[in-house]
Structure formats: C-alpha cells, structure tokens
Amino acid sequence: MPRAARPERTGRVAGQGRRRRRRRSLRAVGGALGCRRCGRAVFWARRGWGGTGWGGACGCRVLGGRSSEEAGPRAAAGKIPGLYGPEGILPARKTLRPQGKGRWQQLWETPTLLWEAPRLGLDTAQGLELLSLLGTLLALGALLLSPLRHPVVYLLLWAAYLSACQVGQVFLYFQWDSLLLETGFLAVLVAPLRPASHRKQAPQGGRAGALPHEDLPFWLVRWLLFRLMFASGVVKLTSRCPAWWGLTALTYHYETQCLPTPAAWFAHHLPVWLHKLSVVATFLIEIAVPPLFFAPIRRLRLAAFYSQVLLQVLIIITGNYNFFNLMTLVLTTALLDDQHLAAEPGHGSHKKMATSWPKALLATLSLLLELAVYGLLAYGTVHYFGLEVDWQQCTIHSRTTFTFHQFSQWLKTLTLPTVWLGVASLAWELLSALWRWTQVRGWLRKFSAAVKLSLVSTATVALFLISLVPYSYVEPGTHGRLWTGAHRLFGAVEHLQLANSYGLFRRMTGLGGRPEVVLEGSYDGHHWTEIEFMYKPGNLSRPPPVVVPHQPRLDWQMWFAALGPHTHSPWFTSLVLRLLQGKEPVIRLIQSQVARYPFHKQPPTYVRAQRYKYWFSQPGEQGQWWRRQWVEEFFPPVSLGDPTLETLLRQFGLQDKSPARARSANSTLTQALHWTRTQLSPLEAPALLWGLLLAIGAVRVVQALLAPWSLRSSPVAPASGEKRRPAPHKDSGAASEQATPAPNPCTSSSRTARRKK
C-alpha cells in the first residue's frame, strides 16, 4: 500500500514525501459564526451570522487562528521562537536555503512567502511571526466585515498558511493540517465575488441573487467530507488492528489518546458492551453513511448530517483534537439547505397544498426509498456485527462476523463505484448549473455568468480529478486503474496540498497502558526533579485539561515520541539541548508562566527522560486521575558537552554550523514583533483563544440585533422604485442586471408574474 495510505492513529500524515506541515488553531467556532455564501445558508446570512458564509467559517481559519503551538497572535508571538527561532527546537531558517535557482522557480518548488522575509530585515522565524499576525488580523476582519469576505482575501490566507507549512517540519505533520489547507483553498471558490448585501431574496424562498455556478464549490465541500469520513472508517479495518476488529478500540482510546478531557475518564469507565456498540456505530457513521451525502432525497442527507454531527460532538467532549472536529462540523453544513435552516419567517413551514398525482406518486416513492435505505442500514449493521440483545442483563452483544479477506474484496468492489458515484453527482451538478445559466436574461449578464460558470466548472472538475489520486490510496487496485491524466495533474500540484489522503485513528496504541515520556532535570546528577508540561499527563493528581480548539504542538509530539525510541524523534535531542542551555522561548513551550518551570532561576546541569505507562485511576481513588508505572530509561542523562549528546546532534544534523546572520534589532518592525511577543507570551493559549472567540461572538450578536433596524431603513424604497422604473431594452447589460434579479428555477413563475405586471 502506498505510504500515504498509512496515516498514524492520531492523524500524523504519512504522505508520499509530501511536506505536510501546517498549523492554525482556527477560529473553529468561527465556522458556526460565518454563513455559507449568499442564500445557500440563508439562516446565518439573514440573521447576521456572517455574510459570505461558509467561506468565513473555513477560509478565515486558514491563517486566522494559529495551530502551530498556540492560536492566533499567541502562537505567533509566544511559541514560534521556541519552535522555529534561532534558539528554538527546529530553527526554521535551516529549511529555507537558496539553491541557486531563479526566484520564481524557487517559489514554485517551495511555495512560501517567507523567502521575502530578508527583504524586510527579518529572519525566517520573525517572518513567520509577522505572517501569522497579519493572517490573524485578516481572518478576524473577514469574520467581522463583509467586504473582506472575498476570494482574494481567502487566497491570501491560504497562501500564508501554505507558507507556514513549508517551514513547520514535524510539528505540522498532522492530517488536520492537510485538511485545513484543502478546506482553505475551497473557501476561495466558495467566497462570493460581490458582497452578500447586494443579493436580493427571491419570493418563496428562492435565491434571486444566486449565480448558476454557486452550487459547484459546495459540491466539492461535500466530496471532501465524503473522502475524509469514508477513508477514516476504511483504514481502521484495512490496518488489521485487533482492537478495531475486536470492537474493543474504545476501551483503550479514551485513556491512550494524546490529550484526553475530564469527560474521557468517565467515558473510559462505561461498560465494555457499550464501548463495543459505540465502535459499531462509528463504522456505520464513517463507512455506510457517507454515500448518503450525495443522496437525491433531502431527508437522507439530513440524517447523514446529524449522524456526523453526533460523532464529532462526542469526540470533542472526550478528546482535545484542536480545531479538527470543529472544522469537520463546518464541512457538514454543506449537507444542509435553505428549507432546513428556515431563514425567513414562514420559510421553513409551508401549508400543505394540493399537488398533482405525479408529484404525490414521486413523494411516495421517495418515502419508500428512504425507508428502504434505513432498513438496509439496520439489517447490515445487525448482520455484519452480530448484534444480539440480552434482555436479562440489559446489554447488547456485538462482534464482527466478516473476515479481513471478505472486507478487502468488498472494498475492492466498492471503491471504484464510489468514484463513479462522485462522477455522476458532479455531472448532475454541472448540468443543473448549465440549466440555471440558460435561464439568465440579458446578453451581458448571460455572458458574465457564462465566464464565471466556465471558470468555476473547470476548477471544480480539475480539483475532483486531483482528489481521486489520494482518495484511491485506500484501495491499491483502484489507484492503479485511475486515468493517467489524473495522476499527472496530481503530481504537478501535489506540493500545493490542494488534495490530500486521510485516514484517522488507523491503529490503537498503548494497549497495555499509555506510554508517556517524563523529562527530569538535576543539578548534581543524583536528585532529579520532574519537568511538568502544561497539558500532557504528568502529575497524577492533575485533571486532564480542556484546550480545544488549541493544539499544543510540543505536547502532541511528546506523545508520538513515547511510542518508540528517542532516535525516532530527532527533535527530542534538540529539546534536551535547549533545556540544558536554559533557552526561555523553549521553556515557554513547556510552561507559559516561566516561574512555574522548576529550573527557571538556573538551567539544570543534567537532563534525562524516563518512560512510564499511565492508566486512568479507578473510581473511588480520591484525588487521583492517573496511575503510572516506570518502564525504562527513555533518554540517558546528559549535560552540555557530553559526548553522547554531541554524537546525537551530529547524527541528526542538529548542530548549527552556520550561525544565524546578524540582523538589525532596532528596526520598527522587529521592535513591534518583539513587543507583541512580550505582551502575549505569558497568556494561556486556550484562554486567549476563547477570549477571541467570545469577543467575535459578542460582536456578531450585536450585528444580528442591529440588522433589522438597518433592513427597515434601506431596502424598501429601492424595491418600490425599481418597480416603477421603465422596463429596459432586452439586451441592456448593467441596467438589466440591476432591475432583474438572477433567475432561479424555483421562482420562475413569480418572476413571470412580475414581468406581466
């Protein structure tokens, strides 16, 4: 199986030599605050919850929130120096070394705006700080100001995030970083070219200002959601992980995941039969339900939406997976429609009116098909997972009744049809868009719509073809049968991360207890003091934290390091070196309040690391959240100048043979960055993030409350004035565009009536 088809359990991307480095702890809740372009999600648009909508939800996170170490300005000012500064763990300047190539060739091969940092008198890490701060401000502006919800803004945010990914190295090797980049690029297509305020609401709930091409980007969002969920379900079984096949994965997951929440402790102690039933539900939601994203029956799509929301909410409650689940929730909104969102009074509930017998017959057939789908899902679940109800013990027993060979044959049979399902669904969307274009009136308006439709259709088809290559990694046979043109197209733009392979929680780790690395420091080599991190398990009596949507990158990598020897995590040696040197930027990665760091007055003379196994405490153990047992020495005791340390630094290429080029620290830009970093470094990242989110939410609420007053004062007069205006000539270009709203097949009869008047 290709390397990219083997993602790690918590989302580390193993992607075909691709540089999957990203960050941005997005204003994930911004997804709920932004609307999805004109009319497509009218609820948020009309209630004041975002104007461009969906783009504001996904696109603004592309750089607006930081997920590198903290989010937003916190990460930029406080954490980048510790991760990527000249005295950080992995200095970013080592990743950008000119190779004697032309400027544009260099930019294409390593697409990052940080090549231009020296022109501003900044080193790479300072350029990354500046890029992050500007991206944060631009993203917040896009959330709050309608004029900034524009494709150009989201393209800049995507480019800035991609730039950060090129220097992020191992701290950005996560699938949600890939997902964020891909989602951010789709936001460029979703964002409207003109402000949402210029769009008029058509009678009977239609979208009078909607353009023919506008549904195509939302189809790409559904296709992305399908690839994400379907692949995440399939890889759990193709990995042959005994925990997934035995339906016991969740008996370990809550305890062994990277950063559990307090609720994970309670979930861990639920009955085993409920854990196994939850695994069955996970397979159902991730494998069987995603094809319903493209169902022609609306209620099936809504059922798929609510099942995905349920899964993501439960994951958020029991685990700290930063912005990933929040972003997935934003993607699921592509399954909704205006009728369900009930934007306008009376829009969601219509009185039942008499319909013709063909429509009644079609409605009956749709209902029968819907019931058949539910019945098939229920039967398949009971049959393939052997569900049996034990009425005496009030439990439900479950087990897998199929073999790995049978599943492989099923996957081989099904993967290519899912590709054709995508082709058929996209073809329908393209034909629908073409039909809507034929309804556009006015030659200039029709020409403009044709140009936009051509561009968006081409981009949609191209992105779909590109995405087929990473999607087919789930089944090697299908991957080999793909059209060679798709492979060539994907290879040409692979470094831009426009499409990625996914597959979360592939294998369960820590089946015998979660491995945990504990750093220790000493002044004499005999008395050792543990160095406690802010978020990862350490102190047995400290409850698990809640840090969503922040992702502490160092804490996450410490979890990965514990899964193997320290030589598999070369950055760990650099971390030990920086602690021996007492570098404050690195210390702030461990404790934002330096006074809480046990060696804040003087660096330790010796540093070592021990490997433990941690388990959740049992109910009744007062004051204890964890139990632990020492396993082995993870990293030997070393001091500055120790031959062992020097050998490891040379082996991993971590010795800096070319010191950082001295740059002026007196420039206004450098001083501004230093001041910002100084102000934000002591702040706790989750508190800062939630403070920003709550402030944004408060502003949006105020805007929503003030919206009715602005609507009363402006739209009525122009509307009546337009009615009395003389009818323009047939091909009168711009005047026709203002007088006649964009046609919609659902409202053609009402427009005809207006023209007759």
Side-chain angles (χ1 to χ4, degrees):
M1 182 178 292
R3 195 166 158 241
R6 305 176 184 175
E8 292 293 336
R9 171 198 172 219
T10 56
R12 193 194 312 231
V13 175
Q16 289 202 336
R18 278 177 271 180
R19 293 178 175 181
R20 301 212 168 164
R21 318 181 253 282
R22 352 238 173 286
R23 86 171 130 255
R24 231 55 69 239
S25 190
L26 322 178
R27 311 274 133 321
V29 178
L33 299 181
C35 77
R36 298 164 38 206
R37 276 183 79 190
C38 90
R40 181 77 166 143
V42 187
F43 174 81
W44 292 315
R46 296 294 173 182
R47 297 299 182 193
W49 288 98
T52 57
W54 190 92
C58 298
C60 71
R61 327 180 142 163
V62 174
L63 196 68
R66 292 224 45 152
S67 73
S68 117
E69 183 46 31
E70 309 295 4
R74 162 71 167 135
K79 299 304 180 181
I80 286 178
L83 290 175
Y84 305 118
E87 297 180 340
I89 298 175
L90 294 176
R93 61 188 178 85
K94 294 184 178 181
T95 64
L96 294 181
R97 298 237 172 118
Q99 303 295 326
K101 300 177 181 178
R103 182 178 181 183
W104 294 108
Q105 181 183 1
Q106 181 177 262
L107 183 62
W108 173 255
E109 294 180 357
T110 308
T112 174
L113 300 175
L114 296 174
W115 287 115
E116 305 301 316
R119 297 175 181 269
L120 300 175
L122 305 175
D123 60 28
T124 305
Q126 290 173 330
L128 186 57
E129 286 185 273
L130 177 62
L131 201 61
S132 302
L133 285 171
L134 293 178
T136 300
L137 295 175
L138 190 58
L140 291 175
L143 273 174
L144 298 173
L145 303 174
S146 298
L148 290 180
R149 299 178 192 133
H150 191 275
V152 173
V153 172
Y154 293 119
L155 183 62
L156 290 174
L157 291 172
W158 173 81
Y161 189 47
L162 180 64
S163 299
C165 295
Q166 304 306 311
V167 301
Q169 304 169 78
V170 70
F171 294 106
L172 288 171
Y173 281 153
F174 294 92
Q175 287 193 48
W176 34 78
D177 296 313
S178 299
L179 180 65
L180 183 56
L181 262 185
E182 187 170 350
T183 303
F185 190 79
L186 292 184
V188 177
L189 298 178
V190 169
L193 289 171
R194 53 177 175 161
S197 58
H198 295 169
R199 315 267 182 117
K200 300 180 182 64
Q201 180 74 5
Q204 301 175 4
R207 286 178 295 149
L211 297 173
H213 67 271
E214 291 188 339
D215 282 346
L216 296 178
F218 290 101
W219 183 90
L220 284 174
V221 176
R222 272 190 289 158
W223 175 247
L224 170 59
L225 180 65
F226 169 79
R227 290 190 290 117
L228 171 67
M229 301 310 301
F230 185 76
S232 296
V234 165
V235 298
K236 292 176 174 60
L237 294 174
T238 57
S239 67
R240 300 195 183 195
C241 174
W244 285 114
W245 277 90
L247 306 181
T248 59
L250 291 184
T251 61
Y252 308 103
H253 165 73
Y254 300 114
E255 181 178 69
T256 62
Q257 61 183 321
C258 181
L259 294 178
T261 65
W265 186 93
F266 296 95
H268 176 73
H269 293 292
L270 292 173
V272 174
W273 70 267
L274 189 55
H275 285 309
K276 299 178 74 172
L277 190 63
S278 299
V279 174
V280 173
T282 300
F283 285 136
L284 176 66
I285 293 173
E286 291 187 343
I287 299 178
V289 170
L292 299 182
F293 297 168
F294 308 102
I297 301 176
R298 174 176 172 273
R299 285 191 297 266
L300 288 177
R301 295 195 302 274
L302 291 179
F305 166 78
Y306 284 110
S307 65
Q308 302 302 320
V309 168
L310 174 64
L311 177 63
Q312 300 305 320
V313 169
L314 291 176
I315 295 175
I316 291 172
I317 292 173
T318 58
N320 288 291
Y321 290 96
N322 50 80
F323 56 85
F324 166 66
N325 304 109
L326 296 168
M327 182 164 56
T328 305
L329 287 174
V330 172
L331 296 179
T332 60
T333 59
L335 303 175
L336 300 179
D337 55 26
D338 296 348
Q339 182 181 352
H340 186 69
L341 293 171
E344 299 293 338
H347 180 65
S349 56
H350 297 285
K351 295 180 180 180
K352 293 185 178 180
M353 301 176 65
T355 57
S356 60
W357 69 265
K359 291 185 178 180
L361 178 61
L362 183 61
T364 303
L365 292 177
S366 298
L367 179 60
L368 292 176
L369 179 59
E370 182 183 356
L371 294 176
V373 170
Y374 295 145
L376 184 62
L377 290 176
Y379 171 79
T381 304
V382 172
H383 176 73
Y384 289 109
F385 293 100
L387 298 185
E388 296 179 356
V389 179
D390 187 336
W391 297 105
Q392 292 183 345
Q393 298 183 1
C394 298
T395 60
I396 300 177
H397 300 290
S398 55
R399 57 187 175 83
T400 51
T401 60
F402 53 93
T403 64
F404 177 79
H405 175 73
Q406 290 173 329
F407 179 75
S408 299
Q409 291 300 315
W410 174 85
L411 185 61
K412 187 179 297 185
T413 304
L414 187 67
T415 304
L416 194 58
T418 59
V419 172
W420 286 111
L421 172 65
V423 171
S425 179
L426 177 57
W428 175 260
E429 291 290 343
L430 290 171
L431 290 174
S432 300
L434 184 61
W435 185 87
R436 288 193 297 270
W437 174 78
T438 62
Q439 306 303 304
V440 177
R441 301 185 181 277
W443 67 269
L444 184 58
R445 193 175 187 187
K446 197 159 192 168
F447 176 76
S448 175
V451 172
K452 295 175 183 177
L453 178 60
S454 300
L455 293 176
V456 175
S457 298
T458 302
T460 301
V461 173
L463 288 174
F464 173 68
L465 289 175
I466 292 170
S467 69
L468 291 179
V469 177
Y471 169 66
S472 63
Y473 290 156
V474 297
E475 207 287 300
T478 303
H479 181 75
R481 285 187 285 174
L482 281 181
W483 179 45
T484 56
H487 286 279
R488 287 196 298 269
L489 188 59
F490 175 74
V493 298
E494 182 180 5
H495 64 296
L496 299 179
Q497 302 294 312
L498 300 181
N500 304 279
S501 60
Y502 302 102
L504 298 164
F505 304 99
R506 188 172 185 267
R507 298 186 66 89
M508 281 293 121
T509 57
L511 301 188
R514 66 173 293 144
E516 200 68 57
V517 171
V518 176
L519 278 164
E520 297 177 340
S522 173
Y523 290 119
D524 57 10
H526 299 289
H527 301 87
W528 296 88
T529 302
E530 292 189 6
I531 299 175
E532 188 171 353
F533 285 65
M534 284 185 289
Y535 307 113
K536 82 180 194 69
N539 188 337
L540 302 182
S541 60
R542 190 184 67 180
V546 176
V547 299
V548 170
H550 163 57
Q551 180 180 2
R553 299 279 169 161
L554 181 58
D555 294 62
W556 270 82
Q557 287 301 332
M558 288 291 290
W559 183 90
F560 281 113
L563 300 178
H566 71 84
T567 52
H568 289 180
S569 303
W571 60 268
F572 190 85
T573 303
S574 181
L575 172 63
V576 171
L577 173 65
R578 299 309 188 195
L579 294 180
L580 288 169
Q581 294 172 339
K583 300 300 182 182
E584 183 176 325
V586 176
I587 292 173
R588 288 191 180 277
L589 297 176
I590 298 173
Q591 288 290 342
S592 59
Q593 298 289 345
V594 178
R596 298 178 183 175
Y597 180 68
F599 301 98
H600 65 277
K601 294 182 179 179
Q602 179 183 348
T605 307
Y606 301 92
V607 170
R608 70 179 185 184
Q610 307 287 344
R611 195 198 314 265
Y612 287 84
K613 282 195 174 180
Y614 275 64
W615 298 270
F616 272 139
S617 62
Q618 294 297 319
E621 296 184 29
Q622 297 296 329
Q624 295 288 320
W625 286 86
W626 298 97
R627 295 177 293 117
R628 76 178 184 182
Q629 178 182 344
W630 181 85
V631 177
E632 61 183 349
E633 183 179 74
F634 179 77
F635 195 92
V638 294
S639 59
L640 290 176
D642 189 291
T644 301
L645 180 61
E646 295 298 324
T647 300
L648 289 172
L649 291 173
R650 283 195 303 270
Q651 176 183 343
F652 298 136
L654 296 173
Q655 284 185 323
D656 200 349
K657 299 179 182 179
S658 55
R661 187 179 303 174
R663 301 188 185 277
S664 173
N666 297 322
S667 69
T668 304
L669 191 55
T670 303
Q671 291 178 348
L673 288 174
H674 177 74
W675 180 85
T676 304
R677 184 190 319 129
T678 303
Q679 299 300 314
L680 296 174
S681 290
L683 301 178
E684 291 286 345
L688 176 62
L689 258 180
W690 281 108
L692 285 173
L693 295 175
L694 291 175
I696 294 171
V699 172
R700 300 309 258 151
V701 168
V702 172
Q703 291 177 341
L705 293 175
L706 295 178
W709 297 96
S710 60
L711 288 175
R712 288 178 190 175
S713 59
S714 60
V716 177
S720 58
E722 283 182 5
K723 253 185 180 179
R724 296 186 179 92
R725 188 181 304 164
H729 295 292
K730 263 188 182 177
D731 297 329
S732 60
S736 173
E737 181 173 351
Q738 288 184 359
T740 309
N744 186 303
C746 299
T747 61
S748 57
S749 59
S750 61
R751 283 196 306 273
T752 304
R754 286 200 301 272
R755 287 196 297 271
K756 286 180 180 178
K757 290 180 183 179

